Amino acid sequence: STTQQDAAAPEKVAVPPVQMFYCGVCSWPPEYCEFGVSLSKCKEWLHDSRPDLYEKYYSEEALTAKLGTISLEAQSKLEKDSAKKEAKAEAKAEAAKKKKLVRALLVIIKRIERNKRKYVTSIRGLEIFDVDLKKASKFFAQKFATGASVTKNAAGIDEIVIQGDVSQEVYDLIEEANEGGEGGGGKGGKKGLDVLKGVVVDNIEMVEEKKKKGGD
């Protein structure tokens, strides 16, 4: 009967979940840190965070037990290879960080195609070089005798939008404003150019955005 079957079935006992601990540097379990590229930092973090686990994996006794059958020469080679691997990873991370920083310091002048081959020009990133966007917008509007305003783009970042295809002219004005280095101001100190002083011309990137076919 069902009652007899239920009585014969072993009682189910809930198994508690396994508590895992992960390295705060490489995010791997501590026993796998040695296969990563930041072992020295992992060991330092583990020593401060979990001294008990540090002793388990990296104490003199633990290392002796792990490497006891390996010759001194082999141990030395392993240590050198690990240090070289870690240094290479750190150099790569630093290069990526610098590349990201340079990218963040770019001034983007974008030529954007609208309907019927009409264009607008957007400038993003001037504020990085302490340019007052409202003053710069007013300067561009007067210079090109067209509409110019400070608006937020799709990413929520302030940029200047000028009616018309004036991307090259904007570049030339910024270049002229910063001729001669820190003083800048253009030849003869043309009125209004001081609003664009301080921009590093090498950090300007020209971009063209064409209207997608079949879309707005």
Side-chain angles (χ1 to χ4, degrees), residues 52-210:
D52 57 323
L53 290 180
Y54 180 86
E55 285 295 315
K56 178 180 179 181
Y57 297 118
Y58 301 112
S59 66
E60 187 174 343
E61 292 79 5
L63 292 176
T64 300
K66 185 184 295 184
L67 303 174
T69 58
I70 302 178
S71 67
L72 292 176
E73 184 179 351
Q75 290 182 35
S76 177
K77 186 177 184 303
L78 282 174
E79 291 174 359
K80 288 180 180 179
D81 289 345
S82 178
K84 189 182 294 185
K85 186 178 181 181
E86 189 169 346
K88 185 177 181 180
E90 289 180 354
K92 185 177 181 180
E94 185 64 24
K97 183 179 178 181
K98 287 182 179 179
K99 186 176 181 180
K100 186 177 180 180
L101 180 60
V102 169
R103 184 69 188 176
L105 294 176
L106 284 178
V107 172
I108 308 295
I109 300 176
K110 185 183 292 185
R111 176 178 184 260
I112 306 172
E113 184 180 5
R114 297 302 195 194
N115 291 329
K116 298 179 182 179
R117 297 190 63 78
K118 292 183 178 180
Y119 296 87
V120 297
T121 302
S122 70
I123 308 104
R124 173 168 58 85
L126 289 175
E127 71 282 358
I128 296 169
F129 298 99
D130 297 322
V131 171
D132 187 311
L133 297 186
K134 289 185 178 179
K135 290 182 179 179
S137 174
K138 185 177 180 180
F139 168 70
F140 290 135
Q142 293 173 345
K143 186 69 179 176
F144 303 124
T146 187
S149 61
V150 179
T151 61
K152 289 188 181 295
N153 61 19
I157 300 172
D158 286 336
E159 63 181 13
I160 297 174
V161 177
I162 307 169
Q163 299 302 314
D165 179 11
V166 292
S167 55
Q168 186 58 53
E169 288 86 345
V170 169
Y171 178 92
D172 292 341
L173 285 171
I174 296 175
E175 185 177 42
E176 186 176 359
N178 294 281
E179 283 180 349
E182 189 174 344
K187 297 177 181 178
K190 291 184 178 180
K191 186 177 180 181
L193 283 175
D194 58 331
V195 75
L196 300 174
K197 282 184 181 179
V199 179
V200 179
V201 178
D202 289 343
N203 285 46
I204 297 176
E205 182 175 304
M206 306 287 283
V207 177
E208 181 166 3
E209 182 180 296
K210 293 187 177 181

